Amino acid sequence: MKSNFEYPDDLKDEFERAKKIEQFSIVFLIFTAWVMYVTMGNSQAMKTEWVDDILSLMPPISFLIASAIYTRGRNDQFPYGYHRVVSIAYLCSAFSLFIVGGFVFTDALLKLIKAEHPTIGTMVVFGIPIWQGYIMILALIVTNIPIVILGRMKLPLARKLHEKNLHTDAQMNKADWMTALAVIFGIIGIGAGLWWADAVAAIAISFDILYDGFKNLKQAVFDLMNQVPKDPEHTKNDPLLKKISEVLGREEWIKEFSLRIREEGHVYFGEAFVVPRTEQRILQNIRKTKAKVSLLSWLIYDFNLIPVDRIETNQ
């Protein structure tokens, strides 16, 4: 096992770039939340957008906090290092997303049941009265153009860095601009006299938040339960597992084996129980095979070969 973790040289610049993007995201999201707050009026959908912007702060903040911790070396109290702080940060982000999605849905549904009629008044800008709905729509368009750009910048970095928090943040950025479109339709609906349009738009927004929250929350819990590592989209097993099995299968000294790999933050820990054909040069064979497996990817942080006389069903 390595004493600590750093990205390989070809990814260190990408990691620094990701941190700068997340730092900018925090500043911009705070500004966006302020804009939503001063322009929301009585619009339920605008309030929902404001809550969504506040929620969107969680992934970049958790990413930066985890980035300052997980590179610490292992010690007597944490013999495996601090890698799982990344998984914990991912769980916090996903849980917050899911809880707020439920709150938004409940709040909007109650307003729809009570048949509350929201109104959008006028604002005086440079002495000219303007319908506040126009101001809301302009604020939504202006603040969400950078969100689209930021999301597209984060997604490829998340794949390269195997960073689920960053991937969740990119998904939330996508949800932000989709939410903004729903809010715009709600504002237009109120202007057209459709009192229910605002609440319906908020409910539609909450479904998107709930779906993303549940999907990421489930995966965050599974990661902490040592599920087989998945790809960034959580749809299939990481192809690296098949490559490890292929390397072990080509080793002439291994008769049969059982592979176990778990995810610890960005990196993988695991072992293979192997039945050797012969005990001659067993230590040399283990050392050489471990080296071959480690060369497959920087993701393989701690991998061990354990010789056994037979493969048990629980191995």
Side-chain angles (χ1 to χ4, degrees), residues 7 13 20 51 81 119 127 134 144 149 159 171 177-178 197 206 225 250 256 287:
Y7 282 106
D13 288 343
K20 291 179 181 178
V51 171
T119 59
Y134 294 136
N144 277 275
I149 298 172
R159 295 192 182 104
Q171 287 182 318
W177 66 258
M178 292 177 65
S206 71
M225 292 173 63
R250 288 194 296 265
E256 58 179 323
R287 184 166 55 250

Side-chain angles (χ1 to χ4, degrees), residues 22-23 25-27 29-30 33 50-67 85-100 154 163-170 172-173 176 216:
E22 291 295 64
Q23 290 166 356
S25 293
I26 291 173
V27 174
L29 285 169
I30 292 174
W50 176 75
V51 171
D52 189 55
D53 288 335
I54 296 296
L55 172 68
S56 296
L57 287 166
M58 178 61 75
I61 290 175
S62 61
F63 172 86
L64 293 174
I65 292 175
S67 297
V85 70
V86 176
S87 299
I88 294 171
Y90 177 42
L91 176 65
C92 291
S93 298
F95 184 69
S96 298
L97 180 60
F98 183 74
I99 291 298
V100 172
K154 293 172 187 177
E163 173 54 68
K164 290 184 177 179
N165 248 337
L166 195 60
H167 191 271
T168 302
D169 198 10
M172 290 190 69
N173 291 151
D176 285 343
N216 285 283

Side-chain angles (χ1 to χ4, degrees), residues 44-56 59 93-106 108 168 171-180 182-183 201-218:
Q44 177 62 35
M46 285 292 284
K47 291 178 182 177
T48 303
E49 175 70 8
W50 176 75
V51 171
D52 189 55
D53 288 335
I54 296 296
L55 172 68
S56 296
S93 298
F95 184 69
S96 298
L97 180 60
F98 183 74
I99 291 298
V100 172
F103 166 77
V104 170
F105 173 80
T106 303
T168 302
Q171 287 182 318
M172 290 190 69
N173 291 151
K174 179 182 178 182
D176 285 343
W177 66 258
M178 292 177 65
T179 297
V183 173
I203 290 175
I205 292 166
S206 71
F207 287 147
D208 184 71
I209 298 174
L210 278 169
Y211 173 75
D212 285 339
F214 176 77
K215 181 175 65 175
N216 285 283
L217 180 60
K218 180 180 72 172

Side-chain angles (χ1 to χ4, degrees), residues 21 144-156 173 177:
I21 290 174
N144 277 275
I145 290 176
I147 293 294
V148 174
I149 298 172
L150 285 170
R152 294 182 66 87
M153 292 173 65
K154 293 172 187 177
L155 201 54
N173 291 151
W177 66 258

Side-chain angles (χ1 to χ4, degrees), residues 232-245:
E233 283 75 27
H234 324 313
T235 56
K236 58 183 179 181
N237 291 349
D238 191 325
L240 181 58
L241 302 180
K242 182 179 179 181
K243 294 180 181 179
I244 296 174
S245 294

